[in-house]
Amino acid sequence: MLSEYQKFFTGRPTPQIAKDLLGRLLIFHGPQGDVGGWIVETEAYVGEQDSASHAFGGRRTNYSESLYGMPGDLYIYQIRSHYCIDIVVQNQEEPQGVLIRAIEPAVGVEQMIKNRGQDGFNLTNGPGKLMQALGVQSRSMDGQPMERAKLKVDLKAERHVPQKIEAGPRIGVNAKGKDALKPYRFIVAGNPYVSKMKRRDADDLTHGWRD
């Protein structure tokens, strides 16, 4: 039987879960204290039929095995030298996931700056950047249930509510893939920590949140 935490990550379409994660608190209980921030950008990957998914065409390896786990499990993977956090969604053996692409720093910001060696919007405006800022630079938590992991989405924390959510194509996927242009990337419109956000489009007053 699924826990209430796990139920959040299944029972509805993956793009809907990806949108619902915007404004949620991503937190890491790290060795130097808690660090984290509000999720401002996500991407949905819808499994074996999705040309951008690690499971496309039924591809399954030891590396991606966690993607076939329980809803709410961590799938931590590496692209070149960058680590990324993907959350497993849907039922076990359905390899769908949501990539967390960017967060707005909110907890332990000074430690995050130390971890990254820089500050400003560039601190966490990309999937590899946010993991470096959190201080997570290994796959040691890959496959762990977030409910009990040190890295998790805190569903009990009060959610920041976006004024507007915008959808568009995912970033960095194979442009020739049949699903390359699917609108599976979701952002808090106007938030300056969204990756590739143009300064003229950023809302420096509200960061795209409701009061």
Side-chain angles (χ1 to χ4, degrees):
M1 181 178 293
L2 297 179
S3 68
E4 288 302 312
Y5 188 91
Q6 290 171 317
K7 288 178 181 177
F8 178 91
F9 298 99
T10 189
R12 51 192 171 144
T14 296
Q16 185 177 338
I17 298 171
K19 286 188 283 188
D20 199 1
L21 281 167
L22 295 175
R24 306 281 180 180
L25 183 65
L26 180 69
I27 192 85
F28 176 51
H29 303 297
Q32 281 80 40
D34 290 354
V35 287
W38 307 106
I39 298 172
V40 298
E41 182 179 4
T42 59
E43 288 181 344
Y45 291 85
V46 296
E48 295 180 352
Q49 306 305 314
D50 183 351
S51 66
S53 170
H54 289 183
F56 179 54
R59 188 169 60 239
R60 185 171 185 168
T61 67
N62 290 337
Y63 191 89
S64 64
E65 184 63 26
S66 296
L67 191 55
Y68 290 80
M70 296 291 286
D73 285 1
L74 288 165
Y75 173 41
I76 297 176
Y77 62 90
Q78 191 174 9
I79 297 179
R80 294 179 291 276
S81 62
H82 304 293
Y83 290 90
C84 300
I85 172 177
D86 191 282
I87 301 169
V88 178
V89 299
Q90 308 310 341
N91 295 330
Q92 191 173 23
E93 298 297 319
E94 294 183 24
Q96 301 192 38
V98 176
L99 171 67
I100 308 302
R101 278 200 57 90
I103 61 174
E104 178 178 329
V107 178
V109 178
E110 289 303 315
Q111 183 60 48
M112 295 171 76
I113 292 171
K114 289 180 182 178
N115 291 341
R116 275 277 288 151
Q118 57 184 285
D119 59 6
F121 301 131
N122 197 46
L123 180 61
T124 52
N125 64 347
K129 296 175 185 179
L130 77 86
M131 288 287 269
Q132 187 178 20
L134 294 177
V136 179
Q137 293 296 280
S138 79
R139 300 186 70 220
S140 62
M141 288 180 285
D142 177 56
Q144 293 185 10
M146 276 197 305
E147 195 168 12
R148 301 192 298 272
K150 291 183 178 181
L151 176 60
K152 66 184 296 182
V153 176
D154 186 350
L155 296 179
K156 293 182 179 180
E158 185 175 355
R159 183 191 183 198
H160 271 36
V161 181
Q163 294 182 34
K164 180 182 178 183
I165 294 174
E166 293 181 348
R170 293 166 292 188
I171 294 175
V173 302
N174 184 353
K176 296 181 180 179
K178 66 180 181 62
D179 300 307
L181 298 181
K182 290 282 183 67
Y184 287 163
R185 172 178 175 249
F186 305 98
I187 68 169
V188 176
N191 190 283
Y193 287 93
V194 168
S195 60
K196 300 186 183 298
M197 172 65 68
K198 296 178 180 178
R199 291 302 304 142
R200 66 172 181 268
D201 296 328
D203 184 338
D204 292 328
L205 182 62
T206 70
H207 286 192
W209 305 115
R210 294 182 186 175
D211 294 335

